[in-house]
Amino acid sequence: MHDLYPSRHAATPEMLERHDAVVHGQWTGSAPISELQAAQFERDGYIILEDLFSDEEVAFLQRAAGTLLADPADLNAETIVTEPRGDEIRSIFEIHRQSAVMARLAADARLADVARFLLGDEVYIHQSRLNYKPGFRGKEFYWHSDFETWHVEDGMPRMRALSMSVLLAENTPHNGPLMLIPGSHRTYLTCVGETPDDHYLSSLKRQEYGVPDEHSLAELAHWHGIVSPTGKPGTVILFDCNLMHGSNGNITPFPRTNAFLVYNAVSNRLGKPFGVDKPRPWFLADRGEPAPLAVESGPLIEAAPA
Amino acid sequence: MHDLYPSRHAATPEMLERHDAVVHGQWTGSAPISELQAAQFERDGYIILEDLFSDEEVAFLQRAAGTLLADPADLNAETIVTEPRGDEIRSIFEIHRQSAVMARLAADARLADVARFLLGDEVYIHQSRLNYKPGFRGKEFYWHSDFETWHVEDGMPRMRALSMSVLLAENTPHNGPLMLIPGSHRTYLTCVGETPDDHYLSSLKRQEYGVPDEHSLAELAHWHGIVSPTGKPGTVILFDCNLMHGSNGNITPFPRTNAFLVYNAVSNRLGKPFGVDKPRPWFLADRGEPAPLAVESGPLIEAAPA
């Protein structure tokens, strides 16, 4: 297959044109977001959805997250990533298959229908995780486009995926919130160098390959600026797969937690990776025949009796 | 001398009462700041002074800072501190004795008269430095009270000193700006453990002793919150010597530079350190007989002909 988005091949970085739509669906009055929100997503590459969930639902999700972080012994050890220097959990992957609550969240109409509209297709979960940035010593996460990695290392052919970060703790300007470069999703910034085998083992802790160069990052940030959406628990930050993002460290006492869900169009299923021989493992990228997500409506309800 | 502010002696931290005034001068209509600003400094432990300097003066200071950072060969090598892992300059100390422009800045009436009023005394420069936090890889600076270190390691007897950070680059919420815990200056938080000799050699890069404990920091931050003053170049952040502060790392392309001046009351000159045998070196703390700063009025003017 001709590679529309080559990366990690050349000695110098390039800013390539995006060949895919940003909003793949056609907006009508029955769309799950407003026309303005769709236009914002098209222009900026992200939107913020507030007050989607009730206080009870947010508390329910927070309890579920707390249980996952507190009892990792019940989880598949492979899916747990710890801080670069330490045992503290940084991410738990594949939460939609390890937690009934997170599975229900991923299938929730308030999220999944937005993904279906923006991607103009049925969707499935390409990747899910619970992120935890501890207080006092949370490490930074350097700038990257998710799509660059998903394309090169996982074989995602086109830009027809998006991420949703469901905040489970308050994001303030101080506790290392997500930083986005609005509008950067329109440019595909290639990275230099090749990718070693099993790169994922270290890259989840500290990225060394597939890292954008400083000169191009400075250009993007000077053109577009940087934003840090902040918000209370329950806020959803929804962003395009090719939006440049990162986060600073966190020395505040306030940890940061979110449930992170990546929706991919079923027509955009993974093939052979474009830059490595061996694809990354199952818990980072669903490589199976995609089954369209069965969307569920109504409130998230605690399954277990009180 | 009885130690009013013992620290690094005990196995558990304590929150001790402050025994010194915050605003040592008596406000009158001829004070160099407003009555409201004096009350804010008393309550919060900091104030922001904006538009003190003209655009030309700010550009003049920025050029002087650029020269210091670009030509460190002309400086005393002892006064230069680099990043923990790298050669990039993080701080240059003793700038008021190594740069005529910085000496003039320190003596400027718009700064020095505010220090003289708040400290209720003639003042001298206890410490000065140029701070540079590079883009992309600027490291965090963990929470600390300056006074705790100045007392334990330098022998500053009382809380009658203050710091001014003159911003020489824009501080945004994203590029690792100063974070303050307003009101924390009223509490003296002791640190646990003892201080090794020549601790300063590593502590300027990464603090290991004199570090506040997480439990107390969390209490202070929950009580008082956290603020990050942001502002354009030329903005002055003025804060009490005992205010708890720190800063996150900086992955943005935007570096952060400031000229940092510590004014101490001449009546508060340094004695024998309260927690170590050997005081820190000359460029971190002026140990001489303090000469009252000769305040200079009028604009900062480029000394060299155009």
Side-chain angles (χ1 to χ4, degrees), chain A residues 136-137 139-143 173-176 179 214 217-218 221-222 226-228 246-254, chain B residues 136-137 139-143 173-176 179 214 217-218 221-222 226-228 246-254:
Chain A
F136 301 112
R137 56 188 167 279
K139 292 296 169 236
E140 73 278 6
F141 216 101
Y142 199 69
W143 299 104
H174 313 302
N175 63 350
M179 294 193 292
E214 293 185 359
L217 282 174
H222 278 99
I226 293 173
V227 297
S228 273
S247 62
N248 280 318
N250 178 22
I251 68 161
T252 79
F254 307 113
Chain B
F136 301 113
R137 55 188 167 278
K139 291 297 168 235
E140 72 277 5
F141 216 99
Y142 200 68
W143 299 104
H174 313 301
N175 63 348
M179 294 193 292
E214 293 185 0
L217 282 174
H222 276 100
I226 293 172
V227 296
S228 273
S247 63
N248 279 320
N250 177 23
I251 68 162
T252 79
F254 307 113

Side-chain angles (χ1 to χ4, degrees), chain A residues 92-115:
Chain A
I92 301 170
F93 281 84
E94 201 70 359
I95 51 169
H96 71 296
R97 292 224 176 85
Q98 302 197 82
S99 156
V101 176
M102 296 301 168
R104 177 60 185 77
L105 175 68
D108 194 89
R110 288 163 288 184
L111 303 182
D113 278 349
V114 177

Side-chain angles (χ1 to χ4, degrees), chain B residues 192-275:
Chain B
V192 301
E194 293 203 358
T195 313
D197 277 352
D198 291 332
H199 170 229
Y200 78 92
L201 289 173
S202 61
S203 76
L204 298 177
K205 300 190 178 191
R206 184 173 291 277
Q207 192 86 9
E208 287 173 46
Y209 301 86
V211 177
D213 66 293
E214 293 185 0
H215 180 79
S216 305
L217 282 174
E219 267 190 50
L220 288 173
H222 276 100
W223 283 340
H224 298 298
I226 293 172
V227 296
S228 273
T230 53
K232 63 183 182 182
T235 301
V236 180
I237 304 172
L238 200 156
F239 61 100
D240 179 78
C241 60
N242 188 45
L243 193 70
M244 194 62 77
H245 63 286
S247 63
N248 279 320
N250 177 23
I251 68 162
T252 79
F254 307 113
R256 213 165 64 83
T257 316
N258 59 66
F260 198 88
L261 303 164
V262 181
Y263 295 89
N264 190 23
V266 293
S267 58
N268 195 36
R269 74 170 289 188
L270 305 189
K272 185 179 168 316
F274 290 82

